[in-house]
Amino acid sequence: MEKKTLVLGVIGADVHAVGVSILNRAFLDAGFDVVNLGVMVSQEEFISAAIETGADAIMVSSLYGQGELDCRGLREKCDEAGLKGILLYVGGNIVIGKHEFSEVEKRFKDMGFDRAFPPGTDPQTTIDCLKEDFHLN
Amino acid sequence: MRPVLLIDFGSTYTKVTAVDLETEELLGTSQSWTTIQTDIGEGLADAVAKLEEKTGPLQFEARYACSSAAGGLRMITSGLVPELTAEAAKQASLGAGAKIRGVYSFELTEDDIEDIDAEHPDIFLLTGGTDGGNKECILHNADMLATCKTDFPVVIAGNRSVARTCAKKLEGREVHIVENVMPKFGALNIKPAQDKIREIFLKRIVEAKGYTKAQSLIDNIAMPTPSAMMQAMQLLAEGCENPDGSKETGIGDLLAVDVGGATTDIYSVCDGMPRAGMDTIFKGLPEPYIKRTVEGDIGMRYSIHGIEEAVGTGYISQLSGIPEDRCREMIDYLGRNTEVVPTDAESEALDFALASGAIKTAVTRHAGRLEEFYTMNGIAYMQTGKDLREIRQIIVTGGSLIHTKRTGKIASAAFWDPQDPFSLKPKQADIWVDRSYILAAMGLLSGYYPGTALRIMKKELKKDGYQE
Ligand code: B12
């Protein structure tokens, strides 16, 4: 079975670097190919990297509170760029203020994300979801 | 005396340079027309005869040549994403000394194939996808290339998973598979493709009509002229080791500008990445340590209108002190009469302004840029391209500039500009002028006698650009 490729990065002008390096390590250990774009990644960079590497999923991290704004339109751009149906995950600190996570999750799903994760999600939870979505076991 | 002959078969002129290995002196230079249509040896013999008129008869112990005749090494490249593999393919070709006639990204169309056929390149570089990455694009493009009516060698340097399949699709053509120009995302791996391009250049282009007859006159056609130039620049920057183990020092990181009639070439030898400790994040493909860019729309005669377009007539008028209407008139005239050289104060002033505009434009395109980001805990910077601000040496060469006066002033158009502070150009530098026009020749010689080539360059490059 060919390895699945994940493109990973922190979107927008966000410089929180620690989370993605942990995720990078965890995804590699779980047997994925990871293209880690690091911090301050634009939507275009996520898309270009996914095209060139034939990626199976884009993993968006956002910590600094502007995630929703930064993520807007990403799914549409993926469709436009020929990445139809690519898996889109988002996580980090995407809850701002006192909103319920389920509410936030819905907003991201409405934007075309397949899954959204609350703060403090264990990497293993995400890995299990990936395996499920890729029909791996 | 141990004379060596260095030959540069240019598109118009065949230039010869003689050096003495014993004294490490430049014996002389000369030139004649390039005679590729008949026998390239004729122009060479004529140039050598002219040289020997000045130096007396010379018994050359070796003859080495580089060439950009017959259009140079004309290449077309294709990749997938414009800023990724397509850019890597372009870098690989430029670094191999090619003249790029087209860069395609994504899937080739039937119209593209018609254009490629019309251009009939010397080599096509086919890339796309990281190893294990996207396959569809390069496979599609191989299928499309297979429909080309013209014949040319194809170098495949894309996703290795499908390299063989691509080669099969191109059966019947000369095909070479080399390592991917971008094996992993963001990693630039251009050397294997460049080595192959050079090998094909030597074999195929040099065997072309007009060259074979000169074979007996020269020991080796080593490389395309721009590669010779790159080797000279690397040697000049880095220095080399003498046979006795001592070090012949170079002059350090440098920028070289070569303003021609049709194009302006810029070379930089430096790392150019953000320095550690700065809160600057680098984005985009890593930059080659020796980088070459070619501006096809910027040149002193054939591409004179490109300079005007890039900097504006106002800039040229202001620098030359010539009214705009008159500038336009003179520029039109020079664009039509490309052989004209300045003869009076007015045309000299115009060439001064044009050359400044050419350098300003070409170096700005070569240099990296910073972008400022306001984050909630202050300003952060994002760098794309090479940071040239710490470069302290600028080399000026090219037929259009080495005879100019005020070369130092012209070269200062390459400097960092407070009006455009995020363009990462050198803050200050010494200006060296290649008055005797020997850099390509020294690049050639460096393959055999690096120490000698370096010492001759250090002697012959003049810091006299500041004289009015
Ligand atoms: C260190 C830090 C910084 C450092 C970052 C240094 C660096 N280069 O990494 C500095 C000082 C630069 C910084 C700046 C800012 N920070 Co700060 N920072 C933190 C802090 C204390 C720790 C972050 C961290 O490294 N955590 C450790 C890692 C391992 O955890 P993680 O990042 O959460 O990642 C894990 C999970 O979230 C998850 N995950 C992350 N991404 C993804 C993506 C996917 C797809 C999935 C599935 C999972 C996932 O997996 C990771 C591994 O387990 C947090 C508070 C906190 N305790 O979380 C605030 C915090 C993130 N920062 C915050 C803020 C507001 C800022 C600033 C805007 C202003 C400020 N007050 O300083 C600036 C923004 C600068 C910018 N442009 O990005 C807020 C964000 C609030 C919000 N989102 O509503 C936080 C939560 C603090 C707070 N409580 O106010 N910060």
Side-chain angles (χ1 to χ4, degrees):
Chain A
M1 179 90 206
E2 240 178 63
K3 276 191 178 183
K4 296 288 181 187
T5 301
L6 316 176
V7 169
L8 172 68
V10 187
I11 199 164
D14 195 335
V15 300
H16 293 90
V18 186
V20 281
S21 19
I22 290 178
L23 289 174
N24 183 33
R25 189 72 258 155
F27 293 152
L28 284 172
D29 290 345
F32 295 103
D33 268 336
V34 187
V35 175
N36 185 3
L37 302 176
V39 299
M40 290 178 83
V41 180
S42 66
Q43 291 192 357
E44 290 70 21
E45 279 178 87
F46 275 110
I47 289 170
S48 296
I51 294 175
E52 200 75 72
T53 59
D56 304 286
I58 294 179
M59 314 291 282
V60 178
S61 173
S62 177
L63 272 299
Y64 71 161
Q66 293 185 39
E68 201 180 320
L69 213 61
D70 290 337
C71 288
R72 209 169 280 167
L74 180 60
R75 172 60 79 188
E76 288 77 7
K77 279 194 199 153
C78 284
D79 289 347
E80 192 71 48
L83 293 170
K84 273 228 179 307
I86 191 168
L87 213 51
L88 283 185
Y89 281 18
V90 61
N93 231 314
I94 51 174
V95 190
I96 310 148
K98 295 189 180 64
H99 296 281
E100 282 296 315
F101 182 71
S102 58
E103 205 181 305
V104 176
E105 186 179 22
K106 183 173 178 304
R107 292 164 78 114
F108 276 91
K109 285 197 166 167
D110 287 347
M111 278 198 278
F113 281 81
D114 296 283
R115 291 181 190 264
F117 297 86
T121 303
D122 188 312
Q124 191 54 48
T125 313
T126 312
I127 290 165
D128 293 340
C129 292
L130 281 169
K131 289 191 171 163
E132 189 186 321
D133 290 348
F134 288 140
H135 309 291
L136 305 168
N137 32 32
Chain B
M1 193 149 55
R2 293 177 58 201
V4 168
L5 183 68
L6 304 153
I7 307 154
D8 175 7
F9 293 112
S11 44
T12 316
Y13 297 109
T14 295
K15 286 162 258 173
V16 293
T17 304
V19 297
D20 180 3
L21 292 181
E22 210 165 75
T23 58
E24 300 195 324
E25 292 285 345
L26 177 68
L27 294 170
T29 63
S30 177
Q31 65 178 33
S32 181
W33 298 102
T34 292
T35 49
I36 187 86
Q37 285 80 7
T38 50
D39 176 351
I40 203 154
E42 289 169 17
L44 173 60
D46 188 46
V48 173
K50 282 185 188 154
L51 173 75
E52 290 185 327
E53 273 170 30
K54 301 189 228 173
T55 60
L58 296 168
Q59 282 298 321
F60 293 111
E61 77 170 52
R63 296 173 177 81
Y64 305 118
C66 59
S67 170
S68 55
L73 170 57
R74 292 164 41 260
M75 286 189 61
I76 297 181
T77 65
S78 76
L80 176 50
V81 176
E83 356 17 292
L84 298 175
T85 45
E87 177 65 22
K90 183 177 161 199
Q91 290 293 340
S93 313
L94 280 171
K99 204 177 235 185
I100 297 198
R101 305 301 302 170
V103 177
Y104 293 92
S105 42
F106 302 113
E107 293 182 348
L108 290 170
T109 66
E110 273 154 34
D111 287 341
D112 295 340
I113 293 300
E114 274 179 24
D115 292 343
I116 292 167
D117 265 332
E119 197 58 58
H120 194 188
D122 293 319
I123 300 175
F124 192 101
L125 178 59
L126 177 65
T127 75
T130 52
D131 285 345
N134 181 288
K135 300 172 183 153
E136 292 78 15
C137 179
I138 194 169
L139 286 170
H140 170 90
N141 289 348
D143 274 330
M144 292 301 287
L145 277 183
T147 68
C148 274
K149 294 185 187 72
T150 53
D151 192 26
F152 43 80
V154 180
V155 175
I156 301 173
N159 185 351
R160 66 187 290 269
S161 321
V162 290
R164 283 282 190 110
T165 322
C166 289
K168 274 201 203 93
K169 289 175 184 291
L170 291 164
E171 212 147 44
R173 291 169 188 268
E174 180 183 336
V175 176
H176 304 267
I177 298 177
V178 297
E179 281 174 34
N180 197 340
V181 287
M182 199 171 111
K184 279 201 322 204
F185 180 81
L188 197 62
N189 175 43
I190 55 183
K191 180 116 192 339
Q194 283 176 343
D195 289 347
K196 186 54 79 181
I197 292 166
R198 166 129 6 135
E199 191 187 306
I200 300 172
F201 169 80
L202 294 182
K203 203 173 89 238
R204 183 174 167 115
I205 287 92
V206 166
E207 275 171 15
K209 161 178 171 277
Y211 269 107
T212 29
K213 298 179 202 154
Q215 285 279 307
S216 55
L217 297 174
I218 44 192
D219 297 307
N220 197 358
I221 293 192
M223 57 187 94
T225 308
S227 303
M229 189 55 198
M230 288 173 86
Q231 293 209 348
M233 290 304 96
Q234 183 176 10
L235 176 66
L236 185 62
E238 291 177 349
C240 63
E241 207 166 277
N242 288 316
D244 66 5
S246 66
K247 172 120 174 103
E248 186 68 38
T249 54
I251 65 171
D253 288 355
L254 59 81
L255 182 75
V257 298
D258 181 349
V259 183
T263 66
T264 296
D265 290 24
I266 307 291
Y267 304 82
S268 61
V269 184
C270 69
D271 171 35
M273 292 292 112
R275 273 151 294 143
M278 300 201 322
D279 53 357
T280 301
I281 292 164
F282 185 83
K283 285 288 170 185
L285 272 187
E287 292 284 324
Y289 165 68
I290 309 172
K291 180 169 180 161
R292 168 177 180 242
T293 49
V294 178
E295 304 307 332
D297 61 332
I298 302 293
M300 295 291 286
R301 291 296 180 265
Y302 298 96
S303 312
I304 194 168
H305 290 285
I307 303 179
E308 189 184 12
E309 240 165 73
V311 295
T313 322
Y315 174 96
I316 296 169
S317 165
Q318 204 180 0
L319 268 193
S320 61
I322 302 169
E324 287 199 23
D325 282 348
R326 177 72 183 136
C327 280
R328 273 188 214 103
E329 211 176 288
M330 291 172 77
I331 288 171
D332 280 341
Y333 176 77
L334 291 175
R336 274 181 278 112
N337 301 278
T338 53
E339 296 304 315
V340 173
V341 290
T343 45
D344 54 17
E346 190 187 39
S347 49
E348 255 171 35
L350 184 78
D351 262 13
F352 167 79
L354 285 168
S356 303
I359 292 185
K360 180 183 152 86
T361 307
V363 174
T364 303
R365 291 183 192 168
H366 184 96
R369 289 196 80 79
L370 280 188
E371 236 180 286
E372 223 175 12
F373 274 87
Y374 293 95
T375 70
M376 286 143 215
N377 63 333
I379 295 175
Y381 295 98
M382 205 163 90
Q383 177 186 333
T384 47
K386 275 178 121 171
D387 184 353
L388 311 176
R389 284 175 300 181
E390 297 304 314
I391 282 182
R392 291 289 170 266
Q393 314 293 337
I394 296 180
I395 319 295
V396 178
T397 183
S400 315
L401 283 196
I402 56 184
H403 303 302
T404 52
K405 294 178 185 141
R406 295 194 285 168
T407 321
K409 190 84 189 39
I410 293 174
S412 68
F415 286 165
W416 180 83
D417 178 357
Q419 305 268 330
D420 184 12
F422 293 133
S423 176
L424 304 175
K425 294 182 280 189
K427 290 252 175 164
Q428 64 190 74
D430 290 342
I431 314 287
W432 306 68
V433 189
D434 179 22
R435 291 265 180 236
S436 33
Y437 208 5
I438 53 156
L439 290 182
M442 291 309 108
L444 264 179
L445 187 64
S446 74
Y448 309 92
Y449 304 99
T452 306
L454 178 54
R455 282 184 288 273
I456 294 179
M457 276 194 281
K458 288 205 281 193
K459 223 181 305 180
E460 291 296 327
L461 286 173
K462 304 289 190 228
K463 281 197 194 173
D464 65 355
Y466 305 101
Q467 291 158 19
E468 292 286 305

